[in-house]
Coordinates of all heavy atoms in Angstrom, one line a residue:
L1353 N -54.2 38.8 -53.3 CA -53.5 39.4 -54.5 C -52.7 40.6 -54.0 O -51.6 40.8 -54.4 CB -54.5 39.7 -55.6 CG -53.9 40.4 -56.8 CD1 -52.9 39.5 -57.5 CD2 -55.1 40.7 -57.7
W1354 N -53.4 41.5 -53.3 CA -52.7 42.7 -52.8 C -51.5 42.4 -52.0 O -50.5 43.0 -52.2 CB -53.7 43.6 -52.0 CG -54.6 44.4 -52.8 CD1 -56.0 44.3 -52.9 CD2 -54.3 45.4 -53.8 NE1 -56.5 45.2 -53.8 CE2 -55.5 45.9 -54.3 CE3 -53.1 46.0 -54.2 CZ2 -55.5 46.9 -55.3 CZ3 -53.2 47.0 -55.1 CH2 -54.3 47.5 -55.6
R1355 N -51.6 41.4 -51.1 CA -50.4 41.0 -50.3 C -49.2 40.6 -51.2 O -48.1 41.0 -51.0 CB -50.7 39.9 -49.3 CG -51.4 40.4 -48.1 CD -51.4 39.3 -47.0 NE -52.1 38.1 -47.6 CZ -53.3 37.7 -47.2 NH1 -54.0 38.4 -46.4 NH2 -53.8 36.6 -47.8
A1356 N -49.5 39.8 -52.3 CA -48.5 39.4 -53.2 C -47.8 40.6 -53.9 O -46.6 40.7 -54.0 CB -49.0 38.4 -54.2
I1357 N -48.7 41.5 -54.4 CA -48.1 42.7 -55.1 C -47.4 43.6 -54.1 O -46.3 44.1 -54.4 CB -49.3 43.5 -55.7 CG1 -49.9 42.6 -56.8 CG2 -48.8 44.8 -56.3 CD1 -51.2 43.2 -57.4
E1358 N -47.9 43.8 -52.9 CA -47.3 44.7 -51.9 C -46.0 44.1 -51.4 O -45.2 44.8 -50.8 CB -48.3 45.0 -50.8 CG -49.4 45.9 -51.3 CD -50.5 46.2 -50.3 OE1 -50.7 45.3 -49.4 OE2 -51.1 47.2 -50.3
S1359 N -45.8 42.8 -51.5 CA -44.5 42.2 -51.1 C -43.4 42.7 -52.0 O -42.2 42.7 -51.6 CB -44.5 40.7 -51.1 OG -44.6 40.2 -52.4
I1360 N -43.7 43.2 -53.2 CA -42.7 43.7 -54.2 C -42.8 45.2 -54.3 O -41.8 45.9 -54.3 CB -42.9 43.0 -55.5 CG1 -42.7 41.5 -55.4 CG2 -42.0 43.7 -56.6 CD1 -43.1 40.8 -56.6
I1361 N -44.0 45.7 -54.3 CA -44.3 47.2 -54.3 C -45.1 47.6 -53.1 O -46.4 47.5 -53.2 CB -45.0 47.6 -55.6 CG1 -44.3 47.0 -56.9 CG2 -45.2 49.1 -55.8 CD1 -45.1 47.1 -58.1
P1362 N -44.4 48.0 -52.0 CA -45.2 48.2 -50.8 C -46.3 49.2 -50.8 O -47.3 49.0 -50.2 CB -44.1 48.7 -49.8 CG -42.8 48.2 -50.4 CD -43.0 48.1 -51.9
D1363 N -46.2 50.2 -51.6 CA -47.3 51.2 -51.7 C -48.2 51.0 -52.9 O -48.8 52.0 -53.3 CB -46.7 52.6 -51.6 CG -45.8 52.9 -52.8 OD1 -45.3 52.0 -53.5 OD2 -45.5 54.1 -53.1
A1364 N -48.3 49.8 -53.4 CA -49.0 49.6 -54.6 C -50.5 50.0 -54.5 O -51.1 50.6 -55.4 CB -49.0 48.1 -55.0
R1365 N -51.1 49.7 -53.4 CA -52.5 50.0 -53.2 C -52.7 51.5 -53.2 O -53.7 52.0 -53.7 CB -53.0 49.4 -51.9 CG -54.4 48.9 -51.9 CD -54.9 48.3 -50.7 NE -54.1 47.2 -50.2 CZ -54.7 46.1 -49.6 NH1 -56.0 46.1 -49.3 NH2 -53.9 45.1 -49.2
D1366 N -51.8 52.3 -52.6 CA -51.9 53.7 -52.5 C -51.7 54.3 -53.9 O -52.3 55.4 -54.2 CB -50.8 54.3 -51.6 CG -51.1 53.9 -50.1 OD1 -52.2 53.6 -49.8 OD2 -50.1 53.8 -49.4
R1367 N -50.9 53.7 -54.8 CA -50.6 54.2 -56.1 C -51.7 53.8 -57.1 O -51.6 54.3 -58.3 CB -49.2 53.7 -56.5 CG -48.1 54.3 -55.7 CD -46.8 53.6 -55.8 NE -46.3 53.6 -57.2 CZ -45.2 53.0 -57.6 NH1 -44.4 52.4 -56.7 NH2 -44.9 53.1 -58.8
T1368 N -52.6 52.9 -56.8 CA -53.5 52.4 -57.7 C -54.6 53.4 -58.0 O -55.2 54.0 -57.1 CB -54.2 51.1 -57.1 OG1 -53.1 50.2 -56.9 CG2 -55.2 50.6 -58.1
V1369 N -54.9 53.7 -59.2 CA -55.9 54.7 -59.6 C -57.2 53.9 -59.8 O -58.3 54.5 -59.4 CB -55.5 55.3 -61.0 CG1 -56.6 56.2 -61.5 CG2 -54.2 56.1 -60.8
L1370 N -57.2 52.7 -60.3 CA -58.5 52.0 -60.6 C -58.2 50.5 -60.4 O -57.2 50.0 -60.9 CB -59.0 52.2 -62.0 CG -60.2 51.4 -62.4 CD1 -61.4 51.8 -61.6 CD2 -60.5 51.6 -63.9
A1371 N -59.0 49.8 -59.6 CA -58.8 48.4 -59.4 C -60.1 47.7 -59.7 O -61.1 48.1 -59.1 CB -58.4 48.1 -58.0
L1372 N -60.1 46.8 -60.6 CA -61.3 46.0 -61.0 C -61.0 44.6 -60.6 O -60.1 44.0 -61.1 CB -61.6 46.2 -62.4 CG -61.9 47.6 -62.9 CD1 -62.0 47.6 -64.4 CD2 -63.1 48.1 -62.3
I1373 N -61.8 44.0 -59.8 CA -61.6 42.6 -59.4 C -62.5 41.7 -60.3 O -63.7 42.0 -60.5 CB -62.0 42.4 -57.9 CG1 -61.3 43.4 -57.0 CG2 -61.8 41.0 -57.5 CD1 -59.8 43.3 -57.1
G1374 N -61.9 40.7 -60.8 CA -62.5 39.7 -61.7 C -62.5 38.3 -61.1 O -61.5 38.0 -60.4
S1375 N -63.4 37.6 -61.4 CA -63.5 36.2 -60.9 C -63.9 35.3 -62.1 O -64.4 35.8 -63.1 CB -64.4 36.0 -59.8 OG -65.8 36.2 -60.2
P1376 N -63.9 34.0 -61.9 CA -64.5 33.2 -63.0 C -66.0 33.5 -63.3 O -66.4 33.5 -64.5 CB -64.4 31.8 -62.4 CG -63.2 31.8 -61.5 CD -63.3 33.2 -60.9
L1377 N -66.7 34.0 -62.3 CA -68.1 34.4 -62.6 C -68.1 35.7 -63.5 O -69.0 35.8 -64.4 CB -68.9 34.7 -61.3 CG -69.2 33.5 -60.4 CD1 -69.8 33.9 -59.1 CD2 -70.0 32.5 -61.2
T1378 N -67.2 36.6 -63.3 CA -67.0 37.8 -64.1 C -66.7 37.4 -65.5 O -67.3 37.9 -66.5 CB -65.9 38.7 -63.6 OG1 -66.1 38.9 -62.2 CG2 -65.9 40.0 -64.3
H1379 N -65.8 36.4 -65.7 CA -65.4 36.0 -67.0 C -66.6 35.3 -67.7 O -66.8 35.5 -68.9 CB -64.2 35.0 -67.0 CG -63.0 35.7 -66.4 ND1 -62.1 35.0 -65.7 CD2 -62.6 37.0 -66.3 CE1 -61.1 35.8 -65.2 NE2 -61.4 37.0 -65.6
A1380 N -67.3 34.5 -67.0 CA -68.5 33.8 -67.6 C -69.5 34.8 -68.1 O -70.0 34.7 -69.2 CB -69.1 32.9 -66.5
R1381 N -69.7 35.9 -67.3 CA -70.7 36.8 -67.6 C -70.3 37.7 -68.8 O -71.0 37.9 -69.8 CB -71.1 37.7 -66.4 CG -72.1 38.8 -66.8 CD -72.5 39.5 -65.6 NE -73.5 40.6 -65.9 CZ -73.7 41.6 -65.2 NH1 -73.2 41.7 -64.0 NH2 -74.6 42.5 -65.6
F1382 N -69.1 38.3 -68.7 CA -68.7 39.3 -69.7 C -68.0 38.7 -70.9 O -68.0 39.3 -72.0 CB -67.8 40.4 -69.0 CG -68.6 41.2 -68.1 CD1 -68.5 41.0 -66.7 CD2 -69.5 42.2 -68.5 CE1 -69.2 41.8 -65.8 CE2 -70.2 43.0 -67.6 CZ -70.1 42.7 -66.3
L1383 N -67.3 37.6 -70.8 CA -66.6 37.0 -71.9 C -67.4 35.8 -72.5 O -66.9 35.2 -73.5 CB -65.2 36.5 -71.4 CG -64.3 37.6 -70.8 CD1 -63.0 37.0 -70.3 CD2 -64.1 38.7 -71.8
R1384 N -68.5 35.5 -71.8 CA -69.3 34.4 -72.3 C -68.5 33.1 -72.4 O -68.6 32.3 -73.3 CB -70.0 34.7 -73.6 CG -71.0 35.8 -73.5 CD -71.6 36.1 -74.9 NE -72.6 37.2 -74.7 CZ -73.9 37.1 -74.8 NH1 -74.4 35.9 -75.1 NH2 -74.7 38.1 -74.7
R1385 N -67.7 32.8 -71.4 CA -66.9 31.6 -71.3 C -67.5 30.7 -70.3 O -67.9 31.0 -69.2 CB -65.5 32.0 -70.8 CG -64.7 32.9 -71.7 CD -64.6 32.2 -73.1 NE -63.8 33.0 -74.0 CZ -62.8 32.6 -74.6 NH1 -62.3 31.4 -74.5 NH2 -62.2 33.4 -75.5
P1386 N -67.6 29.4 -70.7 CA -68.2 28.4 -69.8 C -67.4 28.3 -68.5 O -66.2 28.2 -68.5 CB -68.1 27.1 -70.6 CG -67.8 27.4 -72.0 CD -67.2 28.8 -72.0
N1387 N -68.1 28.5 -67.4 CA -67.5 28.4 -66.0 C -66.3 29.4 -65.9 O -65.5 29.3 -65.0 CB -66.9 27.0 -65.7 CG -68.1 26.0 -65.8 OD1 -69.1 26.2 -65.2 ND2 -67.8 24.9 -66.4
G1388 N -66.3 30.5 -66.7 CA -65.3 31.5 -66.6 C -63.9 31.1 -67.0 O -62.9 31.8 -66.6
T1389 N -63.8 30.2 -67.9 CA -62.5 29.7 -68.3 C -61.9 30.7 -69.3 O -62.5 31.6 -69.9 CB -62.6 28.3 -69.0 OG1 -63.5 28.5 -70.1 CG2 -63.1 27.3 -68.1
Y1390 N -60.6 30.6 -69.5 CA -59.8 31.3 -70.5 C -59.5 30.4 -71.6 O -59.0 29.3 -71.4 CB -58.5 31.9 -69.9 CG -58.7 33.2 -69.2 CD1 -58.7 33.2 -67.8 CD2 -58.8 34.4 -69.9 CE1 -58.8 34.4 -67.1 CE2 -58.9 35.5 -69.2 CZ -58.9 35.5 -67.8 OH -59.0 36.7 -67.1
G1391 N -59.6 30.9 -72.9 CA -59.1 30.1 -74.0 C -59.8 28.8 -74.3 O -60.7 28.4 -73.6
A1392 N -59.3 28.2 -75.3 CA -59.9 26.9 -75.7 C -59.1 25.8 -75.0 O -57.9 26.0 -74.7 CB -59.8 26.7 -77.2
A1393 N -59.7 24.6 -74.7 CA -58.9 23.5 -74.3 C -57.9 23.2 -75.4 O -58.2 23.4 -76.6 CB -59.8 22.3 -74.1
F1394 N -56.7 22.8 -75.1 CA -55.6 22.6 -76.1 C -56.1 21.8 -77.3 O -55.8 22.2 -78.4 CB -54.4 22.0 -75.5 CG -53.2 22.1 -76.4 CD1 -52.6 23.3 -76.6 CD2 -52.8 21.0 -77.2 CE1 -51.5 23.4 -77.5 CE2 -51.8 21.1 -78.1 CZ -51.1 22.3 -78.2
E1395 N -56.8 20.8 -77.1 CA -57.3 19.9 -78.2 C -58.3 20.7 -79.0 O -58.5 20.3 -80.2 CB -57.8 18.6 -77.7 CG -59.0 18.7 -76.8 CD -58.7 18.8 -75.3 OE1 -57.5 18.9 -75.0 OE2 -59.6 18.8 -74.5
D1396 N -59.0 21.7 -78.5 CA -60.0 22.5 -79.2 C -59.4 23.7 -79.9 O -60.0 24.4 -80.7 CB -61.1 23.0 -78.3 CG -61.9 21.8 -77.8 OD1 -62.0 20.8 -78.4 OD2 -62.5 22.0 -76.7
C1397 N -58.1 24.0 -79.6 CA -57.4 25.2 -80.2 C -57.3 25.0 -81.7 O -56.8 24.0 -82.2 CB -56.1 25.4 -79.5 SG -55.4 27.0 -79.7
L1398 N -57.7 26.0 -82.4 CA -57.6 26.0 -83.9 C -56.2 26.1 -84.3 O -55.4 26.9 -83.8 CB -58.4 27.1 -84.5 CG -59.9 27.2 -84.2 CD1 -60.5 28.5 -84.7 CD2 -60.6 26.0 -84.8
K1399 N -55.8 25.3 -85.2 CA -54.4 25.3 -85.7 C -54.0 26.6 -86.4 O -52.9 27.1 -86.3 CB -54.0 24.1 -86.5 CG -54.7 24.1 -87.9 CD -54.3 22.9 -88.7 CE -55.0 22.8 -90.0 NZ -54.9 23.9 -90.9
D1400 N -55.0 27.2 -87.0 CA -54.8 28.5 -87.6 C -56.2 29.2 -87.6 O -57.2 28.6 -87.2 CB -54.2 28.4 -89.0 CG -55.1 27.7 -90.0 OD1 -56.3 27.6 -89.8 OD2 -54.6 27.1 -91.0
G1401 N -56.2 30.4 -88.0 CA -57.5 31.2 -87.9 C -58.3 31.1 -89.2 O -59.2 31.9 -89.4
S1402 N -58.0 30.2 -90.1 CA -58.7 30.1 -91.3 C -60.2 29.7 -91.1 O -60.5 29.0 -90.2 CB -58.1 29.1 -92.3 OG -58.1 27.8 -91.8
T1403 N -61.0 30.2 -92.0 CA -62.5 29.9 -92.0 C -62.9 29.7 -93.4 O -62.2 30.0 -94.4 CB -63.3 31.1 -91.4 OG1 -63.3 32.2 -92.3 CG2 -62.8 31.6 -90.1
P1404 N -64.1 29.1 -93.6 CA -64.6 28.9 -95.0 C -65.0 30.2 -95.7 O -65.3 30.2 -96.9 CB -65.7 27.9 -94.8 CG -66.1 28.0 -93.4 CD -64.9 28.4 -92.6
I1405 N -65.1 31.3 -94.9 CA -65.5 32.6 -95.5 C -64.3 33.3 -96.0 O -63.3 33.5 -95.3 CB -66.2 33.4 -94.4 CG1 -67.4 32.7 -93.8 CG2 -66.6 34.8 -94.9 CD1 -68.0 33.3 -92.5
P1406 N -64.3 33.7 -97.3 CA -63.2 34.4 -97.9 C -62.8 35.6 -97.1 O -63.7 36.4 -96.8 CB -63.6 34.7 -99.3 CG -64.8 33.8 -99.6 CD -65.4 33.5 -98.3
N1407 N -61.5 35.9 -96.9 CA -61.0 37.1 -96.3 C -61.5 37.2 -94.9 O -61.5 38.4 -94.4 CB -61.3 38.3 -97.1 CG -60.6 38.3 -98.5 OD1 -59.5 37.8 -98.6 ND2 -61.3 38.7 -99.5
F1408 N -61.9 36.2 -94.2 CA -62.3 36.2 -92.8 C -61.5 35.2 -92.0 O -61.6 34.0 -92.2 CB -63.8 35.9 -92.7 CG -64.4 36.0 -91.3 CD1 -64.6 37.3 -90.7 CD2 -64.6 34.9 -90.5 CE1 -65.1 37.4 -89.5 CE2 -65.1 35.0 -89.3 CZ -65.4 36.2 -88.7
V1409 N -60.6 35.8 -91.1 CA -59.8 34.9 -90.3 C -60.0 35.2 -88.8 O -60.5 36.3 -88.5 CB -58.3 35.1 -90.6 CG1 -58.0 34.6 -92.0 CG2 -57.8 36.5 -90.4
L1410 N -59.8 34.2 -88.0 CA -59.9 34.4 -86.6 C -58.6 34.6 -85.9 O -57.6 34.1 -86.4 CB -60.6 33.1 -86.0 CG -62.0 32.7 -86.6 CD1 -62.4 31.4 -86.0 CD2 -63.0 33.8 -86.3
A1411 N -58.6 35.3 -84.8 CA -57.4 35.5 -84.0 C -57.9 35.5 -82.6 O -59.0 35.8 -82.3 CB -56.7 36.7 -84.4
G1412 N -57.0 35.2 -81.6 CA -57.4 35.3 -80.2 C -56.9 34.0 -79.5 O -56.1 33.2 -79.9
D1413 N -57.5 33.9 -78.3 CA -57.1 32.8 -77.4 C -57.5 31.5 -77.8 O -57.0 30.5 -77.2 CB -57.4 33.1 -75.9 CG -58.9 33.3 -75.7 OD1 -59.7 33.1 -76.7 OD2 -59.3 33.5 -74.6
G1414 N -58.4 31.3 -78.7 CA -58.9 30.0 -79.2 C -58.2 29.6 -80.4 O -58.5 28.5 -81.0
V1415 N -57.2 30.4 -80.9 CA -56.4 30.0 -82.0 C -54.9 29.8 -81.6 O -54.5 30.6 -80.7 CB -56.5 31.2 -83.1 CG1 -55.6 30.9 -84.3 CG2 -57.9 31.4 -83.5
F1416 N -54.2 28.9 -82.2 CA -52.9 28.6 -81.8 C -52.1 29.9 -81.9 O -52.3 30.7 -82.8 CB -52.3 27.6 -82.8 CG -50.8 27.3 -82.5 CD1 -50.5 26.3 -81.5 CD2 -49.8 27.9 -83.1 CE1 -49.2 26.0 -81.2 CE2 -48.5 27.6 -82.9 CZ -48.2 26.7 -81.9
P1417 N -51.2 30.3 -81.0 CA -50.7 29.5 -79.9 C -51.4 29.4 -78.6 O -51.0 28.8 -77.6 CB -49.3 30.1 -79.7 CG -49.4 31.5 -80.1 CD -50.5 31.5 -81.1
G1418 N -52.6 30.1 -78.5 CA -53.4 29.9 -77.3 C -53.6 31.1 -76.4 O -53.5 32.3 -76.9
I1419 N -53.7 30.9 -75.1 CA -54.0 32.0 -74.2 C -52.8 32.8 -73.8 O -51.7 32.3 -73.9 CB -54.8 31.4 -73.0 CG1 -53.9 30.5 -72.2 CG2 -56.1 30.8 -73.3 CD1 -54.5 30.0 -70.9
G1420 N -53.1 34.0 -73.3 CA -52.1 34.9 -72.8 C -51.9 36.0 -73.8 O -52.1 35.9 -75.0
V1421 N -51.5 37.2 -73.3 CA -51.4 38.4 -74.2 C -50.3 38.1 -75.3 O -50.7 38.4 -76.4 CB -51.0 39.6 -73.3 CG1 -50.7 40.8 -74.2 CG2 -52.2 40.0 -72.4
P1422 N -49.1 37.6 -75.0 CA -48.2 37.4 -76.1 C -48.7 36.4 -77.2 O -48.6 36.7 -78.4 CB -46.9 36.9 -75.4 CG -47.0 37.3 -74.0 CD -48.5 37.3 -73.7
A1423 N -49.4 35.4 -76.7 CA -49.9 34.4 -77.7 C -51.0 35.0 -78.5 O -51.1 34.7 -79.7 CB -50.4 33.1 -76.9
V1424 N -51.9 35.7 -77.9 CA -53.0 36.4 -78.6 C -52.5 37.4 -79.6 O -52.9 37.5 -80.8 CB -54.0 37.0 -77.6 CG1 -55.0 37.8 -78.4 CG2 -54.7 35.9 -76.9
A1425 N -51.5 38.2 -79.2 CA -50.8 39.1 -80.1 C -50.2 38.4 -81.3 O -50.3 38.8 -82.5 CB -49.8 39.9 -79.4
L1426 N -49.6 37.3 -81.0 CA -49.0 36.5 -82.1 C -50.1 35.9 -83.1 O -49.9 35.9 -84.3 CB -48.2 35.3 -81.6 CG -47.4 34.5 -82.6 CD1 -46.4 35.3 -83.4 CD2 -46.6 33.4 -81.8
S1427 N -51.2 35.5 -82.5 CA -52.2 35.0 -83.4 C -52.8 36.1 -84.3 O -53.1 35.9 -85.4 CB -53.4 34.3 -82.6 OG -54.2 35.2 -82.0
G1428 N -52.9 37.3 -83.7 CA -53.3 38.5 -84.5 C -52.3 38.8 -85.6 O -52.7 39.1 -86.8
A1429 N -51.0 38.8 -85.3 CA -50.0 39.0 -86.3 C -50.0 38.0 -87.4 O -49.8 38.3 -88.5 CB -48.6 39.1 -85.6
S1430 N -50.2 36.7 -87.0 CA -50.3 35.6 -88.0 C -51.5 35.9 -88.9 O -51.4 35.6 -90.1 CB -50.5 34.3 -87.3 OG -49.3 34.0 -86.6
A1431 N -52.6 36.3 -88.3 CA -53.8 36.6 -89.2 C -53.5 37.7 -90.2 O -53.8 37.6 -91.3 CB -55.0 36.9 -88.3
A1432 N -52.8 38.7 -89.7 CA -52.5 39.9 -90.5 C -51.5 39.4 -91.6 O -51.6 39.8 -92.8 CB -51.9 41.0 -89.7
N1433 N -50.5 38.6 -91.2 CA -49.5 38.1 -92.2 C -50.2 37.3 -93.3 O -49.7 37.2 -94.4 CB -48.4 37.3 -91.5 CG -47.5 38.2 -90.8 OD1 -47.3 39.4 -91.0 ND2 -46.8 37.6 -89.8
G1434 N -51.2 36.6 -92.9 CA -51.9 35.7 -93.9 C -52.7 36.5 -94.9 O -53.0 36.1 -96.0
M1435 N -53.1 37.8 -94.5 CA -53.9 38.6 -95.4 C -53.0 39.6 -96.2 O -53.4 39.9 -97.3 CB -55.0 39.3 -94.6 CG -55.9 38.4 -93.9 SD -57.2 39.2 -93.1 CE -58.3 39.5 -94.5
V1436 N -52.0 40.1 -95.6 CA -51.1 41.1 -96.2 C -49.7 40.6 -96.1 O -49.3 40.3 -94.9 CB -51.3 42.5 -95.6 CG1 -50.4 43.5 -96.2 CG2 -52.7 42.9 -95.6
G1437 N -49.0 40.5 -97.1 CA -47.6 40.1 -97.1 C -46.7 41.0 -96.2 O -47.0 42.2 -96.0
V1438 N -45.6 40.4 -95.8 CA -44.7 41.2 -94.9 C -44.1 42.4 -95.6 O -44.0 43.5 -94.9 CB -43.5 40.3 -94.4 CG1 -42.5 41.0 -93.6 CG2 -44.0 39.1 -93.6
V1439 N -43.8 42.4 -96.8 CA -43.3 43.5 -97.6 C -44.3 44.7 -97.6 O -44.0 45.8 -97.3 CB -42.9 43.1 -99.0 CG1 -42.5 44.4 -99.8 CG2 -41.7 42.1 -99.0
N1440 N -45.6 44.3 -97.8 CA -46.6 45.4 -97.7 C -46.8 45.9 -96.3 O -47.0 47.1 -96.2 CB -48.0 44.8 -98.2 CG -48.0 44.6 -99.7 OD1 -47.3 45.1 -100.4 ND2 -49.0 43.7 -100.1
Q1441 N -46.6 45.1 -95.3 CA -46.7 45.6 -94.0 C -45.5 46.6 -93.7 O -45.7 47.6 -93.1 CB -46.6 44.5 -92.9 CG -47.9 43.6 -92.9 CD -47.8 42.5 -92.0 OE1 -47.3 42.6 -90.9 NE2 -48.3 41.3 -92.4
W1442 N -44.3 46.2 -94.1 CA -43.2 47.1 -94.0 C -43.4 48.5 -94.7 O -43.1 49.5 -94.1 CB -41.9 46.5 -94.5 CG -41.3 45.4 -93.6 CD1 -41.6 45.2 -92.3 CD2 -40.4 44.4 -94.0 NE1 -40.9 44.1 -91.8 CE2 -40.2 43.6 -92.9 CE3 -39.8 44.1 -95.2 CZ2 -39.3 42.5 -92.9 CZ3 -38.9 43.0 -95.2 CH2 -38.7 42.3 -94.1
M1443 N -44.0 48.4 -95.9 CA -44.3 49.6 -96.6 C -45.3 50.5 -95.8 O -45.1 51.7 -95.8 CB -44.8 49.3 -98.0 CG -43.7 48.7 -98.9 SD -44.3 48.0 -100.5 CE -45.4 49.2 -101.1
C1444 N -46.3 49.9 -95.3 CA -47.3 50.6 -94.5 C -46.6 51.2 -93.2 O -46.9 52.4 -92.9 CB -48.4 49.7 -94.0 SG -49.5 49.3 -95.4
M1445 N -45.7 50.5 -92.6 CA -45.0 51.0 -91.4 C -44.1 52.2 -91.8 O -44.1 53.2 -91.1 CB -44.2 49.9 -90.8 CG -45.0 48.7 -90.2 SD -45.9 49.2 -88.8 CE -44.7 49.2 -87.5
D1446 N -43.4 52.1 -92.9 CA -42.6 53.2 -93.4 C -43.4 54.4 -93.6 O -43.0 55.5 -93.3 CB -41.8 52.8 -94.6 CG -40.7 51.8 -94.4 OD1 -40.3 51.6 -93.2 OD2 -40.3 51.1 -95.3
E1447 N -44.6 54.2 -94.2 CA -45.5 55.4 -94.5 C -45.9 56.0 -93.2 O -46.0 57.2 -93.1 CB -46.7 54.9 -95.3 CG -47.6 56.1 -95.7 CD -48.8 55.6 -96.6 OE1 -48.7 54.5 -97.1 OE2 -49.7 56.4 -96.7
L1448 N -46.3 55.2 -92.2 CA -46.8 55.7 -90.9 C -45.6 56.5 -90.2 O -45.8 57.5 -89.6 CB -47.3 54.6 -90.0 CG -48.6 54.0 -90.5 CD1 -48.9 52.7 -89.6 CD2 -49.8 55.0 -90.3
K1449 N -44.4 55.9 -90.3 CA -43.3 56.6 -89.7 C -43.0 57.9 -90.4 O -42.7 58.9 -89.7 CB -42.0 55.7 -89.8 CG -42.0 54.6 -88.9 CD -40.7 53.8 -89.0 CE -40.7 52.6 -88.1 NZ -39.6 51.7 -88.3
S1450 N -43.1 58.0 -91.7 CA -42.9 59.2 -92.5 C -43.9 60.3 -92.1 O -43.6 61.5 -92.2 CB -42.8 59.0 -94.0 OG -44.1 58.7 -94.5
K1451 N -45.1 59.9 -91.7 CA -46.1 60.8 -91.3 C -46.1 61.2 -89.8 O -46.9 61.9 -89.3 CB -47.5 60.3 -91.6 CG -47.8 60.1 -93.1 CD -49.1 59.5 -93.4 CE -49.4 59.5 -94.9 NZ -50.7 58.9 -95.2
G1452 N -45.1 60.5 -89.1 CA -45.0 60.8 -87.7 C -46.0 60.1 -86.8 O -46.1 60.4 -85.6
A1453 N -46.7 59.2 -87.4 CA -47.8 58.5 -86.7 C -47.2 57.4 -85.7 O -47.8 57.1 -84.7 CB -48.8 57.8 -87.6
I1454 N -46.0 56.9 -86.0 CA -45.3 56.0 -85.1 C -43.9 56.3 -85.1 O -43.4 57.1 -86.0 CB -45.5 54.5 -85.6 CG1 -45.0 54.3 -87.0 CG2 -47.0 54.1 -85.4 CD1 -45.0 52.8 -87.4
N1455 N -43.2 55.8 -84.1 CA -41.7 56.1 -84.0 C -40.9 55.0 -84.8 O -41.1 53.9 -84.9 CB -41.3 56.0 -82.6 CG -41.9 57.2 -81.8 OD1 -42.1 58.3 -82.4 ND2 -42.1 57.0 -80.6

C-alpha cells in the first residue's frame, strides 16, 4: 500500500501523522462483519431503510445504494429526506447559515 501511495506522493510516509492498518480480521472484530466483509451482498441490500418501527429508519452500507462513502452518505440523506421534507431541510440550513454555524 505504501509503495502505491508513494508512487504518487513520494514523501507520504514522512507526512503521515497516524497510520492505522486494517485487515478483514480487523473488520470482523470491530465492525462485527462475517469474515471481515463490507456491506451486504447485493441481493441482501435493503431497497430502502424502512422498518416496522414508526420513525425508525436504517441507513448505511446495507441499505441501497450500498457500500462506499458516497453511497452511505446518500442512504443517510435518503433517510433524512424520508423523515423531514426538503423544504424543512432548506429552512434549517438557512437558519444555520444565519447563525454562522455553516457557510
Side-chain angles (χ1 to χ4, degrees):
L1353 178 63
W1354 280 115
R1355 279 192 303 254
I1357 294 169
E1358 289 172 333
S1359 70
I1360 298 169
I1361 307 169
D1363 62 341
R1365 219 181 296 215
D1366 296 332
R1367 295 166 56 181
T1368 301
V1369 176
L1370 175 66
L1372 300 173
I1373 306 301
S1375 72
L1377 292 176
T1378 310
H1379 299 151
R1381 179 176 177 197
F1382 292 102
L1383 303 177
R1384 296 179 180 249
R1385 296 298 180 128
N1387 299 315
T1389 59
Y1390 277 103
F1394 190 75
E1395 60 273 5
D1396 294 334
C1397 199
L1398 300 171
K1399 67 177 175 59
D1400 61 26
S1402 62
T1403 69
I1405 302 169
N1407 297 318
F1408 183 75
V1409 295
L1410 302 175
D1413 61 358
V1415 178
F1416 181 83
I1419 62 173
V1421 172
V1424 169
L1426 184 58
S1427 77
S1430 294
N1433 286 338
M1435 298 185 81
V1436 179
V1438 174
V1439 173
N1440 285 342
Q1441 290 179 39
W1442 285 341
M1443 290 169 42
C1444 290
M1445 295 292 284
D1446 288 342
E1447 183 179 345
L1448 290 171
K1449 284 181 185 177
S1450 71
K1451 293 179 179 180
I1454 59 173
N1455 294 328

